[in-house]
Amino acid sequence: MSKTPKFPGPLTARGAVLAVLLSDADQTGAEPLQGRTSLAAIVKTLKRKYHWPIESSSFPSNSGDGRATWATVYSLPPATVTKALNNGGREWLERRVAKA
């Protein structure tokens, strides 16, 4: 039996990433958040500690200087987004905006 996902603090880096995922937009690789935490580390924590079923897919890409690299896209299944928004997610998102 899988555990029910939990919401992190609304104004944390984890909250910022989860807000993008709940918006049903893909979250792609970014510079480290808060200067020391990578997006991959935040996603790993959201999956393990907060129980969000985040999916990822990687594909070949090119860096700005022409080198070949890999890009990763993170997303939540649409049914998870709908369930989360209907079970406190909308209010959680509103708290992010109100406190920002």
Side-chain angles (χ1 to χ4, degrees), residues 13-81:
R14 294 171 188 152
V17 172
L18 183 59
V20 171
L21 294 171
L22 288 175
S23 74
D24 205 21
D26 291 333
Q27 175 73 54
T28 57
E31 292 301 313
L33 299 168
Q34 296 183 346
R36 63 185 183 275
T37 305
S38 70
L39 178 58
I42 291 171
V43 167
K44 185 176 180 179
T45 300
L46 286 170
K47 290 173 80 168
R48 290 186 177 179
K49 183 177 179 181
Y50 294 90
H51 315 294
W52 288 96
I54 298 170
E55 300 172 342
S56 64
S57 61
S58 297
F59 54 91
S61 181
N62 292 318
S63 65
D65 63 6
R67 290 178 295 135
T69 185
W70 286 87
T72 301
V73 176
Y74 300 103
S75 61
L76 285 169
T80 298
V81 172

Side-chain angles (χ1 to χ4, degrees), residues 83-95:
K83 185 175 180 179
L85 292 175
N86 290 335
N87 291 308
R90 286 187 181 84
E91 294 81 5
W92 181 82
L93 288 169
E94 288 171 7
R95 285 197 308 274

